[in-house]
Amino acid sequence: MNLHNLKKHFPWMTLVLLALFVGILDPNFLRLENLIDLAGDISTLFIMALGITFVIYIGSIDLSAQSVANMITVLATLLLVHIGAFAAPVCIAIGALFGFVSGLVSTRFKVPSFIATLAVGGIALSVGQYASGQKALYMDATLREQAFGWMIGTTAGLPREMIIALVLLVVALVIERRTVLGRALKAIGAGEPAAVASGLQVNRYKMIAFAISGAFAAMAGLLFAVKLSGGSPVMANGFLLPAIVAVLVGGTPLTGGVGGVLNTFIGALIVAVIRTSMLYLNVPATAQQIFFGLVLVGAIAITIDRTKVRTVK
């Protein structure tokens, strides 16, 4: 087996080795209940990473996900008082709209995706700050239980946020592998000029990919708000970098066309194990961000398809 064929097995091999390493540090880590808690803790980040996967899959990037999630924590808290459970679909629609705008700016005005999403993320941040008055908001406990009680707690011993994340994984997997949209996104990621030449409506599908990312970021924000019983324009800060790392270390390169949501599932577990190992090693939070930055650079260097990148600017 040559290096090229071995590369696709790197993510799960890395996951196994890391899990064994942490298991040596603390044998209790590998107990089933600990692993379930770990999966529950990483669920929100994983949902955000799922959405970002669709954008990276087409060779673009979404830097607005964190800001959209922050904004949604605020809007969900405010809307809960007025429309109850309907706050959930409204918030998801708002997230999809912000994602769609990112895709529209990127495709129609030929603005690089990192600039377009950075700008839209700035707008989302400002909306969250304005709506919250730049302070933390809190949900009424009774209203939260009535509208979103199904999102918290456990079912059959499993955290409900983990169940929600797994359901969304199945939805994302169906989109990726069983729909025209999924095949179109793969074609765009594999070679956009060829996709355009074949008559594919590339701009339309790219905007849909960004809208999906926005919707998943909104779902992550909604879950944040419900779990923490409130909202803040900074609540999800620190999640964007690990979410992108989860996509890349899972095996979906920035050049797109390969990988996918199952790879992101493995990547999210890798991030979870890394975070746990750093807690065991008493690594401070600021140093954890530095480490994830280094992992991000390494993941890009290893996974990127250099045949698609002739010059680096």
Side-chain angles (χ1 to χ4, degrees):
M1 182 178 292
N2 59 37
L3 182 61
H4 178 74
N5 292 329
L6 187 63
K7 186 182 290 187
K8 63 183 179 182
H9 299 292
F10 281 172
W12 70 262
M13 291 168 62
T14 302
L15 177 60
V16 170
L17 291 173
L18 285 172
L20 290 175
F21 171 71
V22 180
I24 292 172
L25 292 177
D26 182 4
N28 290 326
F29 171 77
L30 296 176
R31 293 172 59 188
L32 180 60
E33 55 267 32
N34 282 347
L35 295 177
I36 290 175
D37 289 341
L38 182 70
D41 290 340
I42 203 68
S43 295
T44 309
L45 185 147
F46 172 57
I47 292 170
M48 184 184 294
L50 268 181
I52 294 173
T53 302
F54 284 96
V55 176
I56 293 181
Y57 197 53
I58 60 174
S60 298
I61 190 69
D62 186 357
L63 301 180
S64 68
Q66 177 178 284
S67 295
V68 169
N70 278 327
M71 175 187 68
I72 292 300
T73 66
V74 172
L75 297 183
T77 304
L78 294 173
L79 290 173
L80 175 62
V81 179
H82 301 287
I83 59 177
F86 289 103
V90 170
C91 285
I92 293 172
I94 291 172
L97 176 62
F98 270 75
F100 179 81
V101 171
S102 291
L104 181 68
V105 171
S106 178
T107 56
R108 298 298 186 189
F109 301 105
K110 307 301 179 185
V111 176
S113 59
F114 80 94
I115 293 295
T117 57
L118 194 62
V120 170
I123 295 172
L125 174 63
S126 297
V127 171
Q129 289 176 330
Y130 177 78
S132 68
Q134 298 195 36
K135 62 181 184 292
L137 305 176
Y138 300 95
M139 286 184 175
D140 179 88
T142 303
L143 289 177
R144 184 186 73 144
E145 183 62 31
Q146 290 174 349
F148 302 127
W150 57 275
M151 297 177 69
I152 52 180
T154 60
T155 297
L158 300 176
R160 287 177 186 164
E161 58 262 37
M162 185 180 82
I163 296 173
I164 292 170
L166 291 175
V167 170
L168 291 176
L169 171 61
V170 172
V171 171
L173 193 61
V174 170
I175 293 173
E176 179 190 305
R177 300 192 178 183
R178 299 294 181 182
T179 66
V180 173
L181 171 62
R183 290 189 287 272
L185 296 180
K186 183 174 180 64
I188 294 169
E192 188 170 331
V196 172
S198 69
L200 200 65
Q201 294 182 322
V202 170
N203 286 351
R204 174 188 172 190
Y205 286 116
K206 290 175 77 171
M207 286 188 284
I208 293 174
F210 279 98
I212 291 173
S213 181
F216 274 78
M219 187 63 205
L222 181 62
L223 196 54
F224 261 127
V226 174
K227 284 176 63 178
L228 300 179
S229 194
S232 164
V234 296
M235 184 171 283
N237 280 7
F239 271 68
L240 180 63
L241 185 57
I244 294 175
V245 167
V247 178
L248 297 179
V249 300
T252 304
L254 280 178
T255 43
V258 296
V261 294
L262 273 183
N263 293 71
T264 298
F265 176 66
I266 296 175
L269 292 177
I270 291 173
V271 169
V273 175
I274 290 174
R275 290 171 68 177
T276 301
S277 66
M278 288 193 286
L279 289 176
Y280 283 127
L281 296 172
N282 295 317
V283 178
T286 51
Q288 290 180 27
Q289 286 292 96
I290 294 172
F291 180 79
F292 278 120
L294 295 173
V295 172
L296 179 60
V297 173
I300 293 172
I302 292 171
T303 62
I304 196 168
D305 184 355
R306 287 171 176 77
T307 62
K308 296 181 181 179
V309 184
R310 300 191 182 279
T311 58
V312 178
K313 298 183 179 180

